[in-house]
Amino acid sequence: MLQVDALDVSYGKIRALKGVGLEVARGEIVAVLGNNGAGKTTTLKTISGLLRPTRGTISLDSEPLVGVPPHAIVLKGIAHVPEGRRIFNRLTVRENLMMGAYPRRDAGIAADLDRVFALFPRLQERIAQVAGTLSGGEQQMLAIGRALMLSPRLLLLDEPSMGLAPVLVEQIFDTVADINRQGTTILLVEQNAAMALSIAHRGYVLETGSIALAGTAAELADNAEVRRAYLGE
Amino acid sequence: MDLQLLVDIFPQVVLDGIILGFMYALIALGYTMVYGVLEFINFAHSEIFIIGAFVGVELLLGLQSLGALDAVPWPLVLLLALLVGMAGSGLLAVTVERVAYRPLRSAPRLIPLISAIGVSFFLQDMIRLFESLWHNAFNLVYPTIDALNVRLELTRTIDVPVKSLVVILAALGMLGVLWVLVNRTKVGTAIRAVAEDQAAASLMGINVNRIISLTFLIGGAMGGAAGVLFGVQYGLINPYSGFIPGLKAFTAAVLGGIGNIPGAMLGGIVLGLLEAFAASYLSLLTGGAFGAEYKDIFAFSVLILILIFRPRGLLGEVVRGRA
């Protein structure tokens, strides 16, 4: 479904990605693991068009995405839950969710709103509240719910565990697995490798801008290097 | 000091203040909406405002020369003038953004500001050139519509020309429509989303450039409406008449909290009232030591005081760093 090849991305003179290649097949959860600064967020931002690669290709169902502006990439069915959630603090929960469905003109919006409320009942309780007043966990729910309002084919998740208590992290990851079971393909970037590998089908390890390892979630979880560097053993 | 006189003129002063205030509020919206999405002060907005007045006067003069000014019912004439004034200013604002600001979007902050000041001078002299060639004069007077000059006597001491009521109603209507547009429609929500976080808005599938153009269109149209109402209310306009009201509307926007739409409305009305009170009461209260001509000093003192003591304005939020 998503094919990324030989991707180079630079911030000025600093090369953030060097020849990154990865693929995501329909129906999968693919995790990208790595430390701070390894290039995980840069990879997602480049896929969703916020950054332009200096080299390399990205395609969704063999349609090229490089050079397409972010708002047009959204129309192709890619929703991106950015790092730090980036919900609209001054808008209400309902308005945030409606912005997620911004480009849609179809009749399915109400059904998707119900689906988001089924996944995150808390959001329904907070529907009229200004989003900036939500707790961190609720904000993460809103960020994911907002992305789901696009009814995306591919969901990009950037560090959904960031800044959340362990109980909440578990809850969020359970929901991510549910979303995948309901038919949404997911590319997940995460520092919490144990959590990510527990729900992913396959994974990649990103180190200083290059793919260091790739394999099924089970293979990665068994890999001595991964266990030492990312699973804290 | 004549206390009775102070009391007697009070309602009249409030009325003058409200008219002026609504005018400032309409213009201030253009500054504040553009600041909201781009964090940039569009210093050419005072000319975008006065262009509305010129487009309006051209329409009225055109109708007059056709002999149609008195034949067509005045509410229709006024509505038409407002619409063409709004269209003229709105489209001009969109063009200015495309030509003079968008190419500088990623430049250091000072650069688009200088560009805006350049556009401001350019537009002033463009109006002057055009009107000089067209009418052989650039001081133009709004044709009088008799029905608008009828004075309604409310009490013994207060009488109001119909046009003042029309100005207030039109401004109120416009502010109401804008409020609904910004707060109750999808595109208005998108404007607020873009104002808060452009990158996140683009990830929602919002075309940020289109929303920015729309913001200039709406802000410009509000300015154009204010221009027509300014012409109707005060009569005489010239290419430079936009400057001072523009600066005061900017003050109003800062007073209310720049970037904040209800703040611009509130700031405009507060400033209009302050100025009307200063104009009427200063000389009475100071025994003539300070006259009405000090009202501008008064308005700009407010700007300075706000910047010193409450830089975020009346309704503005404390600016926080983004995570």
Side-chain angles (χ1 to χ4, degrees), chain A residues 48 50 70-71 74 86 88-91 95 99-100 102-105 146, chain B residues 183 186 189-190 192-193 196-197 199-207 317:
Chain A
S48 58
L50 290 174
H71 65 87
V74 172
R86 303 284 280 269
F88 301 112
N89 285 309
R90 295 198 285 263
L91 271 50
E95 285 172 337
M99 285 296 99
Y102 184 79
R104 295 178 63 182
R105 299 279 181 278
R146 184 179 67 171
Chain B
N183 292 298
K186 187 165 148 183
T189 313
R192 286 180 290 137
E196 193 172 327
D197 189 336
S202 71
L203 291 180
M204 303 296 111
I206 296 171
N207 184 337
E317 307 165 38

PDB file of all heavy atoms in Angstrom, chain A residues 48 50 70-71 74 86 88-91 95 99-100 102-105 146, chain B residues 183 186 189-190 192-193 196-197 199-207 317:
ATOM      1  N   SER A  48       3.612  12.618   4.942  1.00  0.00           N
ATOM      2  CA  SER A  48       2.387  13.418   4.860  1.00  0.00           C
ATOM      3  C   SER A  48       2.614  14.770   4.175  1.00  0.00           C
ATOM      4  O   SER A  48       1.710  15.584   4.112  1.00  0.00           O
ATOM      5  CB  SER A  48       1.769  13.608   6.244  1.00  0.00           C
ATOM      6  OG  SER A  48       2.685  14.231   7.092  1.00  0.00           O
ATOM      7  N   LEU A  50       4.652  17.337   4.856  1.00  0.00           N
ATOM      8  CA  LEU A  50       5.087  18.528   5.594  1.00  0.00           C
ATOM      9  C   LEU A  50       6.546  18.841   5.298  1.00  0.00           C
ATOM     10  O   LEU A  50       6.971  19.988   5.383  1.00  0.00           O
ATOM     11  CB  LEU A  50       4.896  18.321   7.093  1.00  0.00           C
ATOM     12  CG  LEU A  50       3.452  18.286   7.592  1.00  0.00           C
ATOM     13  CD1 LEU A  50       3.396  17.926   9.061  1.00  0.00           C
ATOM     14  CD2 LEU A  50       2.760  19.618   7.356  1.00  0.00           C
ATOM     15  N   PRO A  70       0.526  18.857   1.629  1.00  0.00           N
ATOM     16  CA  PRO A  70      -0.086  18.039   2.693  1.00  0.00           C
ATOM     17  C   PRO A  70      -1.607  17.934   2.587  1.00  0.00           C
ATOM     18  O   PRO A  70      -2.161  16.841   2.760  1.00  0.00           O
ATOM     19  CB  PRO A  70       0.310  18.749   3.982  1.00  0.00           C
ATOM     20  CG  PRO A  70       1.321  19.767   3.636  1.00  0.00           C
ATOM     21  CD  PRO A  70       1.429  19.885   2.168  1.00  0.00           C
ATOM     22  N   HIS A  71      -2.277  19.044   2.286  1.00  0.00           N
ATOM     23  CA  HIS A  71      -3.745  18.970   2.277  1.00  0.00           C
ATOM     24  C   HIS A  71      -4.258  18.075   1.156  1.00  0.00           C
ATOM     25  O   HIS A  71      -5.335  17.492   1.250  1.00  0.00           O
ATOM     26  CB  HIS A  71      -4.368  20.367   2.197  1.00  0.00           C
ATOM     27  CG  HIS A  71      -4.075  21.107   0.926  1.00  0.00           C
ATOM     28  ND1 HIS A  71      -4.844  20.974  -0.197  1.00  0.00           N
ATOM     29  CD2 HIS A  71      -3.086  21.964   0.602  1.00  0.00           C
ATOM     30  CE1 HIS A  71      -4.333  21.744  -1.149  1.00  0.00           C
ATOM     31  NE2 HIS A  71      -3.263  22.350  -0.694  1.00  0.00           N
ATOM     32  N   VAL A  74      -3.822  14.333   2.253  1.00  0.00           N
ATOM     33  CA  VAL A  74      -4.940  13.937   3.108  1.00  0.00           C
ATOM     34  C   VAL A  74      -6.096  13.396   2.261  1.00  0.00           C
ATOM     35  O   VAL A  74      -6.720  12.392   2.597  1.00  0.00           O
ATOM     36  CB  VAL A  74      -5.418  15.136   3.966  1.00  0.00           C
ATOM     37  CG1 VAL A  74      -6.689  14.796   4.714  1.00  0.00           C
ATOM     38  CG2 VAL A  74      -4.322  15.559   4.931  1.00  0.00           C
ATOM     39  N   ARG A  86      -0.940  18.078  18.791  1.00  0.00           N
ATOM     40  CA  ARG A  86      -1.305  19.223  17.952  1.00  0.00           C
ATOM     41  C   ARG A  86      -2.807  19.350  17.735  1.00  0.00           C
ATOM     42  O   ARG A  86      -3.272  19.656  16.640  1.00  0.00           O
ATOM     43  CB  ARG A  86      -0.586  19.142  16.598  1.00  0.00           C
ATOM     44  CG  ARG A  86       0.915  19.076  16.696  1.00  0.00           C
ATOM     45  CD  ARG A  86       1.528  20.411  17.028  1.00  0.00           C
ATOM     46  NE  ARG A  86       1.617  21.249  15.863  1.00  0.00           N
ATOM     47  CZ  ARG A  86       2.680  21.291  15.041  1.00  0.00           C
ATOM     48  NH1 ARG A  86       3.734  20.548  15.302  1.00  0.00           N
ATOM     49  NH2 ARG A  86       2.692  22.088  14.012  1.00  0.00           N
ATOM     50  N   PHE A  88      -6.361  21.350  18.238  1.00  0.00           N
ATOM     51  CA  PHE A  88      -6.620  22.787  18.249  1.00  0.00           C
ATOM     52  C   PHE A  88      -7.161  23.166  19.628  1.00  0.00           C
ATOM     53  O   PHE A  88      -8.326  22.923  19.940  1.00  0.00           O
ATOM     54  CB  PHE A  88      -7.610  23.161  17.143  1.00  0.00           C
ATOM     55  CG  PHE A  88      -7.120  22.780  15.774  1.00  0.00           C
ATOM     56  CD1 PHE A  88      -7.750  21.771  15.052  1.00  0.00           C
ATOM     57  CD2 PHE A  88      -6.020  23.412  15.216  1.00  0.00           C
ATOM     58  CE1 PHE A  88      -7.282  21.415  13.796  1.00  0.00           C
ATOM     59  CE2 PHE A  88      -5.548  23.052  13.969  1.00  0.00           C
ATOM     60  CZ  PHE A  88      -6.175  22.055  13.254  1.00  0.00           C
ATOM     61  N   ASN A  89      -6.286  23.745  20.449  1.00  0.00           N
ATOM     62  CA  ASN A  89      -6.622  24.006  21.848  1.00  0.00           C
ATOM     63  C   ASN A  89      -7.814  24.930  22.040  1.00  0.00           C
ATOM     64  O   ASN A  89      -8.547  24.818  23.004  1.00  0.00           O
ATOM     65  CB  ASN A  89      -5.415  24.643  22.547  1.00  0.00           C
ATOM     66  CG  ASN A  89      -4.331  23.630  22.825  1.00  0.00           C
ATOM     67  OD1 ASN A  89      -4.597  22.577  23.397  1.00  0.00           O
ATOM     68  ND2 ASN A  89      -3.126  23.910  22.377  1.00  0.00           N
ATOM     69  N   ARG A  90      -7.973  25.877  21.113  1.00  0.00           N
ATOM     70  CA  ARG A  90      -9.034  26.872  21.300  1.00  0.00           C
ATOM     71  C   ARG A  90     -10.364  26.426  20.702  1.00  0.00           C
ATOM     72  O   ARG A  90     -11.372  27.112  20.855  1.00  0.00           O
ATOM     73  CB  ARG A  90      -8.610  28.209  20.687  1.00  0.00           C
ATOM     74  CG  ARG A  90      -7.417  28.831  21.408  1.00  0.00           C
ATOM     75  CD  ARG A  90      -7.293  30.308  21.100  1.00  0.00           C
ATOM     76  NE  ARG A  90      -6.763  30.546  19.772  1.00  0.00           N
ATOM     77  CZ  ARG A  90      -5.479  30.802  19.529  1.00  0.00           C
ATOM     78  NH1 ARG A  90      -4.611  30.861  20.500  1.00  0.00           N
ATOM     79  NH2 ARG A  90      -5.065  31.016  18.302  1.00  0.00           N
ATOM     80  N   LEU A  91     -10.341  25.299  20.000  1.00  0.00           N
ATOM     81  CA  LEU A  91     -11.592  24.788  19.433  1.00  0.00           C
ATOM     82  C   LEU A  91     -12.181  23.755  20.395  1.00  0.00           C
ATOM     83  O   LEU A  91     -11.465  23.161  21.195  1.00  0.00           O
ATOM     84  CB  LEU A  91     -11.315  24.136  18.069  1.00  0.00           C
ATOM     85  CG  LEU A  91     -11.382  25.038  16.832  1.00  0.00           C
ATOM     86  CD1 LEU A  91     -10.559  26.293  17.003  1.00  0.00           C
ATOM     87  CD2 LEU A  91     -10.945  24.287  15.584  1.00  0.00           C
ATOM     88  N   GLU A  95     -15.596  20.608  17.427  1.00  0.00           N
ATOM     89  CA  GLU A  95     -14.987  21.331  16.302  1.00  0.00           C
ATOM     90  C   GLU A  95     -13.699  20.656  15.831  1.00  0.00           C
ATOM     91  O   GLU A  95     -13.439  20.559  14.630  1.00  0.00           O
ATOM     92  CB  GLU A  95     -14.713  22.790  16.698  1.00  0.00           C
ATOM     93  CG  GLU A  95     -15.973  23.643  16.748  1.00  0.00           C
ATOM     94  CD  GLU A  95     -15.741  25.034  17.332  1.00  0.00           C
ATOM     95  OE1 GLU A  95     -14.761  25.217  18.090  1.00  0.00           O
ATOM     96  OE2 GLU A  95     -16.550  25.931  17.052  1.00  0.00           O
ATOM     97  N   MET A  99     -13.078  19.182  12.136  1.00  0.00           N
ATOM     98  CA  MET A  99     -11.933  19.556  11.289  1.00  0.00           C
ATOM     99  C   MET A  99     -11.266  18.309  10.713  1.00  0.00           C
ATOM    100  O   MET A  99     -10.747  18.332   9.602  1.00  0.00           O
ATOM    101  CB  MET A  99     -10.919  20.379  12.086  1.00  0.00           C
ATOM    102  CG  MET A  99     -11.346  21.811  12.342  1.00  0.00           C
ATOM    103  SD  MET A  99     -11.513  22.793  10.823  1.00  0.00           S
ATOM    104  CE  MET A  99     -13.272  22.722  10.540  1.00  0.00           C
ATOM    105  N   GLY A 100     -11.305  17.215  11.466  1.00  0.00           N
ATOM    106  CA  GLY A 100     -10.754  15.963  10.948  1.00  0.00           C
ATOM    107  C   GLY A 100     -11.474  15.509   9.692  1.00  0.00           C
ATOM    108  O   GLY A 100     -10.890  14.888   8.804  1.00  0.00           O
ATOM    109  N   TYR A 102     -12.792  17.540   7.538  1.00  0.00           N
ATOM    110  CA  TYR A 102     -12.911  18.754   6.711  1.00  0.00           C
ATOM    111  C   TYR A 102     -13.093  18.508   5.218  1.00  0.00           C
ATOM    112  O   TYR A 102     -13.983  19.077   4.597  1.00  0.00           O
ATOM    113  CB  TYR A 102     -11.690  19.657   6.947  1.00  0.00           C
ATOM    114  CG  TYR A 102     -11.758  20.969   6.227  1.00  0.00           C
ATOM    115  CD1 TYR A 102     -12.521  22.019   6.726  1.00  0.00           C
ATOM    116  CD2 TYR A 102     -11.093  21.159   5.012  1.00  0.00           C
ATOM    117  CE1 TYR A 102     -12.601  23.222   6.069  1.00  0.00           C
ATOM    118  CE2 TYR A 102     -11.167  22.370   4.341  1.00  0.00           C
ATOM    119  CZ  TYR A 102     -11.925  23.396   4.873  1.00  0.00           C
ATOM    120  OH  TYR A 102     -12.006  24.588   4.202  1.00  0.00           O
ATOM    121  N   PRO A 103     -12.270  17.650   4.576  1.00  0.00           N
ATOM    122  CA  PRO A 103     -12.423  17.532   3.118  1.00  0.00           C
ATOM    123  C   PRO A 103     -13.599  16.652   2.693  1.00  0.00           C
ATOM    124  O   PRO A 103     -13.873  16.556   1.509  1.00  0.00           O
ATOM    125  CB  PRO A 103     -11.096  16.909   2.670  1.00  0.00           C
ATOM    126  CG  PRO A 103     -10.421  16.415   3.873  1.00  0.00           C
ATOM    127  CD  PRO A 103     -11.180  16.833   5.086  1.00  0.00           C
ATOM    128  N   ARG A 104     -14.271  16.036   3.650  1.00  0.00           N
ATOM    129  CA  ARG A 104     -15.308  15.058   3.260  1.00  0.00           C
ATOM    130  C   ARG A 104     -16.626  15.723   2.933  1.00  0.00           C
ATOM    131  O   ARG A 104     -17.028  16.682   3.576  1.00  0.00           O
ATOM    132  CB  ARG A 104     -15.517  14.045   4.391  1.00  0.00           C
ATOM    133  CG  ARG A 104     -14.296  13.189   4.634  1.00  0.00           C
ATOM    134  CD  ARG A 104     -14.516  12.242   5.792  1.00  0.00           C
ATOM    135  NE  ARG A 104     -15.601  11.294   5.518  1.00  0.00           N
ATOM    136  CZ  ARG A 104     -15.997  10.385   6.399  1.00  0.00           C
ATOM    137  NH1 ARG A 104     -15.437  10.325   7.585  1.00  0.00           N
ATOM    138  NH2 ARG A 104     -16.976   9.557   6.096  1.00  0.00           N
ATOM    139  N   ARG A 105     -17.289  15.196   1.916  1.00  0.00           N
ATOM    140  CA  ARG A 105     -18.618  15.690   1.559  1.00  0.00           C
ATOM    141  C   ARG A 105     -19.656  14.568   1.639  1.00  0.00           C
ATOM    142  O   ARG A 105     -20.803  14.771   1.349  1.00  0.00           O
ATOM    143  CB  ARG A 105     -18.617  16.234   0.117  1.00  0.00           C
ATOM    144  CG  ARG A 105     -17.676  17.383  -0.127  1.00  0.00           C
ATOM    145  CD  ARG A 105     -18.284  18.703   0.348  1.00  0.00           C
ATOM    146  NE  ARG A 105     -17.382  19.815   0.100  1.00  0.00           N
ATOM    147  CZ  ARG A 105     -16.359  20.145   0.888  1.00  0.00           C
ATOM    148  NH1 ARG A 105     -16.125  19.432   1.987  1.00  0.00           N
ATOM    149  NH2 ARG A 105     -15.580  21.158   0.594  1.00  0.00           N
ATOM    150  N   ARG A 146      -9.757  12.570  15.896  1.00  0.00           N
ATOM    151  CA  ARG A 146      -9.798  13.576  14.837  1.00  0.00           C
ATOM    152  C   ARG A 146      -9.268  12.989  13.526  1.00  0.00           C
ATOM    153  O   ARG A 146      -9.856  13.185  12.464  1.00  0.00           O
ATOM    154  CB  ARG A 146      -8.945  14.773  15.274  1.00  0.00           C
ATOM    155  CG  ARG A 146      -8.950  15.941  14.352  1.00  0.00           C
ATOM    156  CD  ARG A 146      -8.102  17.069  14.897  1.00  0.00           C
ATOM    157  NE  ARG A 146      -6.678  16.743  14.927  1.00  0.00           N
ATOM    158  CZ  ARG A 146      -5.706  17.617  15.194  1.00  0.00           C
ATOM    159  NH1 ARG A 146      -6.001  18.863  15.478  1.00  0.00           N
ATOM    160  NH2 ARG A 146      -4.449  17.239  15.210  1.00  0.00           N
TER     161      ARG A 146
ATOM    162  N   ASN B 183     -17.799  31.546  13.825  1.00  0.00           N
ATOM    163  CA  ASN B 183     -18.041  30.617  14.928  1.00  0.00           C
ATOM    164  C   ASN B 183     -19.008  29.487  14.632  1.00  0.00           C
ATOM    165  O   ASN B 183     -19.046  28.512  15.371  1.00  0.00           O
ATOM    166  CB  ASN B 183     -18.555  31.389  16.151  1.00  0.00           C
ATOM    167  CG  ASN B 183     -17.483  32.270  16.725  1.00  0.00           C
ATOM    168  OD1 ASN B 183     -16.445  31.787  17.166  1.00  0.00           O
ATOM    169  ND2 ASN B 183     -17.707  33.571  16.677  1.00  0.00           N
ATOM    170  N   LYS B 186     -18.305  25.723   8.993  1.00  0.00           N
ATOM    171  CA  LYS B 186     -17.134  24.865   8.850  1.00  0.00           C
ATOM    172  C   LYS B 186     -15.919  25.683   8.404  1.00  0.00           C
ATOM    173  O   LYS B 186     -14.820  25.528   8.934  1.00  0.00           O
ATOM    174  CB  LYS B 186     -17.472  23.802   7.802  1.00  0.00           C
ATOM    175  CG  LYS B 186     -16.443  22.734   7.640  1.00  0.00           C
ATOM    176  CD  LYS B 186     -17.056  21.580   6.861  1.00  0.00           C
ATOM    177  CE  LYS B 186     -16.007  20.891   6.028  1.00  0.00           C
ATOM    178  NZ  LYS B 186     -16.552  19.813   5.204  1.00  0.00           N
ATOM    179  N   THR B 189     -14.580  27.692  11.231  1.00  0.00           N
ATOM    180  CA  THR B 189     -13.798  26.847  12.131  1.00  0.00           C
ATOM    181  C   THR B 189     -12.417  26.599  11.534  1.00  0.00           C
ATOM    182  O   THR B 189     -11.406  26.609  12.243  1.00  0.00           O
ATOM    183  CB  THR B 189     -14.524  25.509  12.372  1.00  0.00           C
ATOM    184  OG1 THR B 189     -15.891  25.793  12.675  1.00  0.00           O
ATOM    185  CG2 THR B 189     -13.913  24.756  13.523  1.00  0.00           C
ATOM    186  N   ALA B 190     -12.374  26.422  10.197  1.00  0.00           N
ATOM    187  CA  ALA B 190     -11.084  26.208   9.536  1.00  0.00           C
ATOM    188  C   ALA B 190     -10.199  27.455   9.678  1.00  0.00           C
ATOM    189  O   ALA B 190      -8.990  27.330   9.879  1.00  0.00           O
ATOM    190  CB  ALA B 190     -11.295  25.861   8.064  1.00  0.00           C
ATOM    191  N   ARG B 192     -10.200  29.492  12.186  1.00  0.00           N
ATOM    192  CA  ARG B 192      -9.671  29.470  13.559  1.00  0.00           C
ATOM    193  C   ARG B 192      -8.605  28.387  13.720  1.00  0.00           C
ATOM    194  O   ARG B 192      -7.622  28.568  14.434  1.00  0.00           O
ATOM    195  CB  ARG B 192     -10.807  29.277  14.567  1.00  0.00           C
ATOM    196  CG  ARG B 192     -11.643  30.556  14.725  1.00  0.00           C
ATOM    197  CD  ARG B 192     -12.781  30.376  15.718  1.00  0.00           C
ATOM    198  NE  ARG B 192     -13.803  29.494  15.195  1.00  0.00           N
ATOM    199  CZ  ARG B 192     -14.402  28.546  15.904  1.00  0.00           C
ATOM    200  NH1 ARG B 192     -14.081  28.356  17.159  1.00  0.00           N
ATOM    201  NH2 ARG B 192     -15.325  27.798  15.356  1.00  0.00           N
ATOM    202  N   ALA B 193      -8.818  27.258  13.037  1.00  0.00           N
ATOM    203  CA  ALA B 193      -7.826  26.178  13.109  1.00  0.00           C
ATOM    204  C   ALA B 193      -6.498  26.622  12.489  1.00  0.00           C
ATOM    205  O   ALA B 193      -5.434  26.396  13.053  1.00  0.00           O
ATOM    206  CB  ALA B 193      -8.357  24.928  12.407  1.00  0.00           C
ATOM    207  N   GLU B 196      -4.593  28.866  14.670  1.00  0.00           N
ATOM    208  CA  GLU B 196      -3.930  28.241  15.811  1.00  0.00           C
ATOM    209  C   GLU B 196      -2.714  27.419  15.411  1.00  0.00           C
ATOM    210  O   GLU B 196      -1.687  27.446  16.099  1.00  0.00           O
ATOM    211  CB  GLU B 196      -4.929  27.361  16.566  1.00  0.00           C
ATOM    212  CG  GLU B 196      -4.376  26.968  17.912  1.00  0.00           C
ATOM    213  CD  GLU B 196      -5.393  26.256  18.785  1.00  0.00           C
ATOM    214  OE1 GLU B 196      -6.590  26.584  18.690  1.00  0.00           O
ATOM    215  OE2 GLU B 196      -4.976  25.381  19.544  1.00  0.00           O
ATOM    216  N   ASP B 197      -2.799  26.685  14.315  1.00  0.00           N
ATOM    217  CA  ASP B 197      -1.709  25.770  13.958  1.00  0.00           C
ATOM    218  C   ASP B 197      -1.798  25.420  12.473  1.00  0.00           C
ATOM    219  O   ASP B 197      -2.564  24.551  12.081  1.00  0.00           O
ATOM    220  CB  ASP B 197      -1.819  24.504  14.827  1.00  0.00           C
ATOM    221  CG  ASP B 197      -0.609  23.601  14.696  1.00  0.00           C
ATOM    222  OD1 ASP B 197       0.091  23.670  13.667  1.00  0.00           O
ATOM    223  OD2 ASP B 197      -0.371  22.818  15.637  1.00  0.00           O
ATOM    224  N   ALA B 199       0.340  23.957  10.371  1.00  0.00           N
ATOM    225  CA  ALA B 199       0.765  22.618   9.946  1.00  0.00           C
ATOM    226  C   ALA B 199      -0.311  21.593  10.296  1.00  0.00           C
ATOM    227  O   ALA B 199      -0.692  20.764   9.456  1.00  0.00           O
ATOM    228  CB  ALA B 199       2.097  22.256  10.604  1.00  0.00           C
ATOM    229  N   ALA B 200      -0.824  21.671  11.520  1.00  0.00           N
ATOM    230  CA  ALA B 200      -1.863  20.723  11.914  1.00  0.00           C
ATOM    231  C   ALA B 200      -3.104  20.901  11.033  1.00  0.00           C
ATOM    232  O   ALA B 200      -3.743  19.919  10.643  1.00  0.00           O
ATOM    233  CB  ALA B 200      -2.224  20.905  13.388  1.00  0.00           C
ATOM    234  N   ALA B 201      -3.426  22.138  10.691  1.00  0.00           N
ATOM    235  CA  ALA B 201      -4.593  22.377   9.829  1.00  0.00           C
ATOM    236  C   ALA B 201      -4.381  21.732   8.457  1.00  0.00           C
ATOM    237  O   ALA B 201      -5.303  21.143   7.895  1.00  0.00           O
ATOM    238  CB  ALA B 201      -4.847  23.878   9.683  1.00  0.00           C
ATOM    239  N   SER B 202      -3.153  21.812   7.938  1.00  0.00           N
ATOM    240  CA  SER B 202      -2.927  21.217   6.619  1.00  0.00           C
ATOM    241  C   SER B 202      -3.057  19.696   6.698  1.00  0.00           C
ATOM    242  O   SER B 202      -3.454  19.053   5.732  1.00  0.00           O
ATOM    243  CB  SER B 202      -1.561  21.637   6.060  1.00  0.00           C
ATOM    244  OG  SER B 202      -0.527  21.001   6.770  1.00  0.00           O
ATOM    245  N   LEU B 203      -2.760  19.120   7.876  1.00  0.00           N
ATOM    246  CA  LEU B 203      -2.927  17.668   8.050  1.00  0.00           C
ATOM    247  C   LEU B 203      -4.394  17.267   8.137  1.00  0.00           C
ATOM    248  O   LEU B 203      -4.730  16.088   8.094  1.00  0.00           O
ATOM    249  CB  LEU B 203      -2.187  17.182   9.306  1.00  0.00           C
ATOM    250  CG  LEU B 203      -0.661  17.234   9.244  1.00  0.00           C
ATOM    251  CD1 LEU B 203      -0.068  16.737  10.550  1.00  0.00           C
ATOM    252  CD2 LEU B 203      -0.125  16.416   8.078  1.00  0.00           C
ATOM    253  N   MET B 204      -5.278  18.250   8.291  1.00  0.00           N
ATOM    254  CA  MET B 204      -6.722  17.978   8.276  1.00  0.00           C
ATOM    255  C   MET B 204      -7.265  18.049   6.853  1.00  0.00           C
ATOM    256  O   MET B 204      -8.465  17.927   6.636  1.00  0.00           O
ATOM    257  CB  MET B 204      -7.490  18.997   9.132  1.00  0.00           C
ATOM    258  CG  MET B 204      -7.064  19.097  10.573  1.00  0.00           C
ATOM    259  SD  MET B 204      -7.355  17.580  11.472  1.00  0.00           S
ATOM    260  CE  MET B 204      -5.672  17.051  11.734  1.00  0.00           C
ATOM    261  N   GLY B 205      -6.394  18.342   5.898  1.00  0.00           N
ATOM    262  CA  GLY B 205      -6.863  18.498   4.523  1.00  0.00           C
ATOM    263  C   GLY B 205      -7.316  19.916   4.228  1.00  0.00           C
ATOM    264  O   GLY B 205      -7.977  20.161   3.223  1.00  0.00           O
ATOM    265  N   ILE B 206      -6.966  20.843   5.123  1.00  0.00           N
ATOM    266  CA  ILE B 206      -7.326  22.240   4.890  1.00  0.00           C
ATOM    267  C   ILE B 206      -6.252  22.877   4.008  1.00  0.00           C
ATOM    268  O   ILE B 206      -5.066  22.773   4.312  1.00  0.00           O
ATOM    269  CB  ILE B 206      -7.425  23.001   6.230  1.00  0.00           C
ATOM    270  CG1 ILE B 206      -8.553  22.419   7.084  1.00  0.00           C
ATOM    271  CG2 ILE B 206      -7.637  24.495   6.003  1.00  0.00           C
ATOM    272  CD1 ILE B 206      -8.594  22.946   8.507  1.00  0.00           C
ATOM    273  N   ASN B 207      -6.673  23.501   2.925  1.00  0.00           N
ATOM    274  CA  ASN B 207      -5.735  24.211   2.062  1.00  0.00           C
ATOM    275  C   ASN B 207      -5.425  25.554   2.727  1.00  0.00           C
ATOM    276  O   ASN B 207      -6.215  26.492   2.647  1.00  0.00           O
ATOM    277  CB  ASN B 207      -6.352  24.402   0.678  1.00  0.00           C
ATOM    278  CG  ASN B 207      -5.382  25.048  -0.294  1.00  0.00           C
ATOM    279  OD1 ASN B 207      -4.442  25.728   0.116  1.00  0.00           O
ATOM    280  ND2 ASN B 207      -5.619  24.832  -1.581  1.00  0.00           N
ATOM    281  N   GLU B 317      -5.057  36.399  24.974  1.00  0.00           N
ATOM    282  CA  GLU B 317      -4.529  35.376  25.859  1.00  0.00           C
ATOM    283  C   GLU B 317      -3.036  35.611  26.033  1.00  0.00           C
ATOM    284  O   GLU B 317      -2.401  36.224  25.200  1.00  0.00           O
ATOM    285  CB  GLU B 317      -4.706  33.985  25.253  1.00  0.00           C
ATOM    286  CG  GLU B 317      -6.115  33.691  24.840  1.00  0.00           C
ATOM    287  CD  GLU B 317      -6.169  32.491  23.923  1.00  0.00           C
ATOM    288  OE1 GLU B 317      -5.415  31.538  24.149  1.00  0.00           O
ATOM    289  OE2 GLU B 317      -6.946  32.516  22.976  1.00  0.00           O
TER     290      GLU B 317
END
